[in-house]
């Protein structure tokens, strides 16, 4: 992809950057000129992502080993990023986990773990981003939700609850933060080929593909493109939206 500089001079913080959608977002934002902070509790994966990022016109990158569900980690991370590459004006909350199980068999810990990372993690990161933000230039927050937050999905009561929560939280955040010159939007991926979906049994994949009008899985880069649009000034009058990237699912 050629360099267009849509994020030149920006500092972007991206959680879940060690793999999948988060890694794709990190790479695309760096290609577009942003200095990128790669955040993840997978230290090795985050370091690999950071080492792979493009440098354009002096942009710099860093990785932070942290857990988005830990309030202490989040507070320390925001300060660390500012010290290394500057104040951020873009936040992408892409960290997410699954602990799939049928409702009757799901443990309280399986439920709590998913909510803690997917929902509470997005809340904590956004809260600290907002506290550190100055309205000198526009800010943009992009929360990665999921289409199953609208439709539900068998065996994912915890995951769908967390993603439905992200959608609702995004709506409220957009109302509160508009006066601070910060936009907040959500991206709702469909069935995207990532390490998370690679663990899905083949027969389940075939069943899902039949329900997708475009008859294929999406790619992380296609989600990253949506994030780039919402992070850039091209979407300067868009806030509070939930953008579905699903192949029609």
């Amino acid at each position: 992809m050629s360099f267009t500089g849509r994020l030149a001079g920006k500092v972007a913080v991206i959680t879940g950057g060690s793999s999948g959608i988060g890694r794709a977002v990190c790479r695309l934002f760096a290609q577009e000129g942003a200095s990128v902070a790669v955040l993840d509790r997978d230290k090795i994966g985050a370091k690999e992502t950071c080492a792979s990022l493009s440098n354009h016109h002096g942009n710099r990158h860093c990785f932070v080993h942290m857990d988005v569900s830990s309030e202490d980690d989040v507070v320390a991370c925001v300060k660390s990023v500012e010290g290394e590459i500057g104040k951020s004006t873009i936040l992408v909350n892409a960290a997410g986990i699954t602990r799939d199980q049928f409702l009757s068999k799901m443990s309280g810990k399986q439920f709590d773990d998913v909510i803690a990372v997917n929902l509470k993690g997005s809340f904590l990161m956004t809260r600290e981003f907002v506290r550190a933000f100055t309205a000198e230039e526009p800010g943009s927050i992009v929360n990665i939700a999921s289409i199953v937050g609208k439709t539900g999905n068998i065996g994912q009561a915890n995951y769908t609850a967390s993603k439905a929560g992200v959608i609702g939280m995004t709506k409220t955040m957009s109302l509160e933060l508009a006066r601070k010159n910060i936009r907040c939007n959500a991206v709702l991926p469909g069935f995207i080929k990532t390490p998370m979906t690679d663990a899905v049994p083949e027969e389940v994949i075939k069943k899902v593909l039949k329900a997708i009008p475009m008859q294929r899985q999406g790619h992380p880069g296609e989600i990253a493109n949506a994030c780039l649009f919402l992070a850039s000034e091209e979407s300067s009058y868009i806030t509070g939206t939930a953008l579905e990237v699903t192949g029609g699912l």
Side-chain angles (χ1 to χ4, degrees), residues 172-242:
T172 294
M173 287 173 173
S174 70
L175 297 175
E176 291 189 14
L177 300 178
R179 65 181 182 274
K180 296 180 181 291
N181 206 17
I182 301 173
R183 295 180 296 108
C184 187
N185 294 287
V187 174
L188 280 55
F191 198 52
I192 309 301
K193 185 170 177 55
T194 66
M196 189 181 291
T197 59
D198 286 344
V200 176
E202 185 65 28
E203 61 270 19
V204 176
I205 292 177
K206 289 180 179 178
K207 184 177 180 180
V208 174
L209 290 178
K210 289 180 180 179
I212 300 173
M214 292 186 71
Q215 295 288 293
R216 67 171 176 86
Q217 285 184 263
H219 301 290
E222 292 173 306
I223 306 302
N225 286 333
C227 292
L228 174 61
F229 169 66
L230 292 173
S232 74
E233 284 303 296
E234 293 172 4
S235 60
S236 58
Y237 198 55
I238 298 176
T239 194
T241 194

Side-chain angles (χ1 to χ4, degrees), residues 23-177:
R23 174 172 282 182
V25 174
C26 288
R27 287 176 170 169
L28 181 58
F29 281 24
Q31 288 171 3
E32 290 298 328
S35 294
V36 173
V38 184
L39 278 51
D40 209 294
R41 62 186 180 186
D42 175 0
K43 186 176 182 179
I44 294 174
K47 289 178 72 174
E48 290 175 349
T49 298
C50 191
S52 73
L53 300 183
S54 303
N55 294 99
H56 291 289
H57 302 290
N59 59 346
R60 299 174 295 136
H61 313 299
C62 69
F63 77 91
V64 180
H65 179 224
M66 55 87 70
D67 181 351
V68 296
S69 67
S70 165
E71 192 160 358
D72 290 342
D73 278 12
V74 171
V75 172
C77 162
V78 171
K79 294 178 180 177
S80 175
V81 170
E82 184 176 339
E84 290 200 50
I85 60 175
K87 276 188 174 292
S88 59
T89 58
I90 297 169
L91 170 64
V92 180
N93 287 309
I97 64 170
T98 57
R99 298 288 185 269
D100 295 352
Q101 185 56 270
F102 291 116
L103 181 65
S104 61
K105 297 179 180 180
M106 185 175 291
S107 69
K109 187 176 188 307
Q110 287 174 315
F111 188 88
D112 290 345
D113 285 351
V114 171
I115 296 296
V117 173
N118 298 5
L119 183 56
K120 184 182 178 183
S122 295
F123 156 71
L124 290 174
M125 285 299 305
T126 301
R127 188 189 68 185
E128 293 308 309
F129 173 88
V130 170
R131 286 176 174 176
F133 184 79
T134 57
E136 295 170 359
E137 59 179 306
S140 178
I141 299 166
V142 182
N143 293 322
I144 304 298
S146 171
I147 192 61
V148 300
K150 293 181 66 175
T151 65
N153 199 33
I154 293 173
Q156 290 194 314
N158 48 6
Y159 186 78
T160 56
S162 72
K163 294 305 186 178
V166 168
I167 295 168
M169 189 167 64
T170 299
K171 299 286 187 180
T172 294
M173 287 173 173
S174 70
L175 297 175
E176 291 189 14
L177 300 178

